[in-house]
């Protein structure tokens, strides 16, 4: 009986860990999507930065 209960506890722990990792992965994907959509909307902004390149040439 003890082995069965131990198995149930371990199974529940693994399910909790899997759920936590899934939620973390979904949160990362949501942040990435929000960042990309914000970047896309910034492209149409008339007051955005014109160039990402440096104004000065690099030293040789």
């Amino acid at each position: 009986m003890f082995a069965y209960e131990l198995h149930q506890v371990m199974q529940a722990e693994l399910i909790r860990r899997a759920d936590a990792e899934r939620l973390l992965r979904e949160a990362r994907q949501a942040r990435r999507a929000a960042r990309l959509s914000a970047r896309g909307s910034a492209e149409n902004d008339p007051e955005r930065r014109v160039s990402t390149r440096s104004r000065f040439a690099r030293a040789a």
Side-chain angles (χ1 to χ4, degrees):
M1 189 67 174
F2 177 74
Y4 178 75
E5 291 171 356
L6 185 60
H7 173 73
Q8 292 294 327
V9 169
M10 292 299 293
Q11 182 181 11
E13 177 64 23
L14 288 173
I15 290 171
R16 278 192 291 270
R17 285 185 188 180
D19 286 341
E21 289 179 11
R22 180 183 48 80
L23 288 173
L24 182 64
R25 186 171 50 248
E26 289 174 357
R28 285 179 182 162
Q29 288 175 349
R31 279 189 307 218
R32 185 177 300 126
R35 196 169 51 238
L36 289 175
S37 69
R39 183 184 301 165
S41 65
E43 290 177 358
N44 299 328
D45 186 16
E47 299 200 9
R48 70 179 171 91
R49 188 172 175 175
V50 175
S51 175
T52 57
R53 293 178 42 194
S54 174
R55 293 183 349 188
F56 305 104
R58 291 180 24 195

